[in-house]
Amino acid sequence: DAGVTQSPTHLIKTRGQHVTLRCSPISGHKSVSWYQQVLGQGPQFIFQYYEKEERGRGNFPDRFSARQFPNYSSELNVNALLLGDSALYLCASSLTGGASYEQYFGPGTRLTVT
Amino acid sequence: GNSVTQMEGPVTLSEEAFLTINCTYTATGYPSLFWYVQYPGEGLQLLLKATKADDKGSNKGFEATYRKETTSFHLEKGSVQVSDSAVYFCAEGPHSGGGADGLTFGKGTHLIIQP
């Protein structure tokens, strides 16, 4: 079975632009979470979606938004990009959004903002 | 908010040495606890987990015990190999009763095993 897939692998954008990152969860998984990993740091939680509804949000500005589609894939959108948004963006899927919470991570999208 | 603290790296050991990577958490209650590993050029992989006090998670020779009294989840391995070289992340998740917030990760510990 395929693992979590993310696209694109790498992306270079200019300050002020908008970006959309995509994620497909493991087949059968209904929850998708997004994390930002700045170089040298641990991942930071951005959003969790379960059954197409937002179930959790981390401490990120409103420039960050996401959605989950009926097939459980997800998009992360970032508006008005800042240099500080440069990071590895990780998507993780899990069976549910509850206590089992064993998350499986994708390879990430490396975003560079210049 | 909650936070996870793990020992600073890099940690450099010789092959077959004993490994301990310390991890402490601040969440109240009974969060689930995890160790993730990131090998060079690869994504995060779940190494082991524990969901309640005194549980021991284990995998690939690694072990960690959920210690509520010291709010710790230290990672140990009796004899490390060169192939264990990677970055290790300690993380806490929602309480065993549920919850929708994401994982809180430590900053990671870079482990280097020399032949």
Side-chain angles (χ1 to χ4, degrees):
Chain A
D1 280 343
V4 177
T5 59
Q6 294 185 242
S7 63
T9 306
H10 297 89
L11 203 52
I12 299 175
K13 290 286 191 178
T14 304
R15 275 177 299 176
Q17 286 189 317
H18 162 271
V19 69
T20 298
L21 310 180
R22 296 178 174 83
C23 170
S24 291
I26 292 171
S27 178
H29 284 194
K30 298 182 178 180
S31 178
V32 169
S33 297
W34 287 95
Y35 292 82
Q36 181 195 65
Q37 186 177 16
V38 174
L39 196 61
Q41 302 291 317
Q44 287 212 315
F45 172 66
I46 309 175
F47 287 110
Q48 187 205 30
Y49 276 77
Y50 176 60
E51 289 282 15
K52 301 178 288 294
E53 292 191 2
E54 182 183 306
R55 297 290 298 275
R57 172 187 280 257
N59 189 24
F60 279 80
D62 291 344
R63 300 184 296 107
F64 288 76
S65 64
R67 55 180 175 167
Q68 186 177 33
F69 299 100
N71 67 354
Y72 302 110
S73 67
S74 178
E75 283 182 355
L76 175 70
N77 296 284
V78 186
N79 292 324
L81 284 167
L82 303 173
L83 294 179
D85 295 330
S86 296
L88 181 68
Y89 288 84
L90 297 167
C91 173
S93 78
S94 57
L95 274 172
T96 73
S100 61
Y101 228 79
E102 194 159 316
Q103 295 193 43
Y104 297 84
F105 283 81
T109 295
R110 173 72 63 187
L111 173 65
T112 302
V113 182
T114 62
Chain B
N2 297 337
S3 68
V4 173
T5 302
Q6 57 182 111
M7 60 194 294
E8 297 282 329
V11 173
T12 303
L13 295 172
S14 298
E15 206 166 20
E16 299 184 3
F18 183 85
L19 168 71
T20 300
I21 300 178
N22 291 337
C23 170
T24 56
Y25 65 94
T26 61
T28 57
Y30 294 88
S32 298
L33 299 173
F34 306 85
W35 277 99
Y36 280 83
V37 59
Q38 193 168 35
Y39 296 104
E42 299 185 16
L44 278 170
Q45 299 176 25
L46 177 64
L47 181 59
L48 53 84
K49 71 173 185 178
T51 57
K52 59 182 188 293
D54 300 325
D55 261 5
K56 178 184 284 188
S58 61
N59 186 25
K60 298 182 181 179
F62 291 88
E63 292 184 340
T65 302
Y66 191 141
R67 301 284 189 201
K68 179 65 176 172
E69 64 276 13
T70 54
T71 61
S72 65
F73 192 55
H74 303 324
L75 182 68
E76 296 181 336
K77 185 174 185 183
S79 176
V80 292
Q81 306 300 312
V82 171
S83 58
D84 293 327
S85 299
V87 181
Y88 291 80
F89 293 93
C90 184
E92 67 175 8
H95 295 188
S96 56
D101 289 337
L103 298 174
T104 299
F105 283 86
K107 291 185 177 182
T109 301
H110 186 193
L111 175 65
I112 300 168
I113 307 300
Q114 296 178 334

